Amino acid sequence: PIDDSTTAFSRNEEMVLAFVGDSTMTRALGIELRVDRMFLPDVNTDDASSPMVSVADVSRYIALEGVDGSGKSTVVSALATRLRDAGETVVTVREPGGSPFGEVVRGLLLDSDHLDIKAEVLLFAAQRAVLTSEVVRPALEGGEWVISDRTYYSSLAYQGRARGVGMDWVREINE
């Protein structure tokens, strides 16, 4: 498997740290990264049956993470504007949310003070699966940029670690 990785994305001399090649997202999209063996020598890129995309293609997916109130939505909006001004097509999403189903789940998650932690993890994973299949995958396949306000890493931090359900279980549910 490909390790989760971060990279810097440069546009108009500004740097935005972004998650690129998120192993959960790339597996959900059914893709492997085409990589230089110098950087990831243990990655098996010889399987011709695997659909392949270049790092540049996967780099059209940017997920911003941070604590509540840290400015993620502001950065998502500013980055989307920059890309659109440069002639790019951009889809912005948020988690939970980003699709009609995801917005319903968002309402359930944000309005419930007494939701069982395992039910919470499963709801996050369900909305993420729908978001991937209905919004993210079609946008990336169409050559569009996708900028996400949160992703699976938030589930690892909030449910896996902070709420104590276990990071391994959260990973398993999301894969």
Side-chain angles (χ1 to χ4, degrees):
I2 297 170
D3 290 335
D4 297 334
S5 61
T6 60
T7 189
F9 165 75
S10 174
R11 188 83 150 189
N12 297 331
E13 300 178 5
E14 291 189 21
M15 301 298 287
V16 176
L17 286 180
F19 292 105
V20 177
D22 174 309
S23 62
T24 300
M25 183 58 69
T26 54
R27 279 192 298 273
L29 294 171
I31 58 177
E32 291 280 334
L33 291 177
R34 183 173 296 138
V35 297
D36 186 322
R37 290 189 184 278
M38 178 177 76
F39 297 109
L40 294 172
D42 297 329
V43 174
N44 178 9
T45 58
D46 296 330
D47 183 1
S49 67
S50 296
M52 299 289 281
V53 297
S54 70
V55 171
D57 293 333
V58 174
S59 297
R60 290 185 173 266
Y61 177 80
I62 300 170
L64 299 169
E65 293 285 354
V67 297
D68 292 340
S70 64
K72 294 175 305 299
S73 298
T74 302
V75 173
V76 166
S77 178
L79 181 56
T81 297
R82 275 291 177 118
L83 288 168
R84 288 182 183 119
D85 288 349
E88 301 288 346
T89 304
V90 179
V91 174
T92 59
V93 295
R94 66 181 181 174
E95 288 197 21
S99 71
F101 174 77
E103 293 301 324
V104 170
V105 171
R106 180 182 184 85
L108 292 172
L109 289 165
L110 298 180
D111 291 337
S112 177
D113 294 331
H114 306 291
L115 187 62
D116 177 80
I117 181 58
K118 290 192 175 185
E120 184 176 301
V121 170
L122 292 169
L123 283 170
F124 271 108
Q127 69 82 35
R128 188 169 294 120
V130 170
L131 180 64
T132 299
S133 66
E134 291 183 358
V135 180
V136 175
R137 181 188 323 240
L140 291 175
E141 288 175 351
E144 300 173 32
W145 286 86
V146 177
I147 306 172
S148 181
D149 182 336
R150 295 197 189 249
T151 187
Y152 139 89
Y153 292 104
S154 288
S155 288
L156 285 176
Y158 287 101
Q159 287 79 38
R161 178 67 73 154
R163 303 255 340 254
V165 76
M167 292 176 63
D168 289 339
W169 190 74
V170 172
R171 273 192 198 97
E172 183 180 332
I173 294 300
N174 281 275
E175 294 177 357

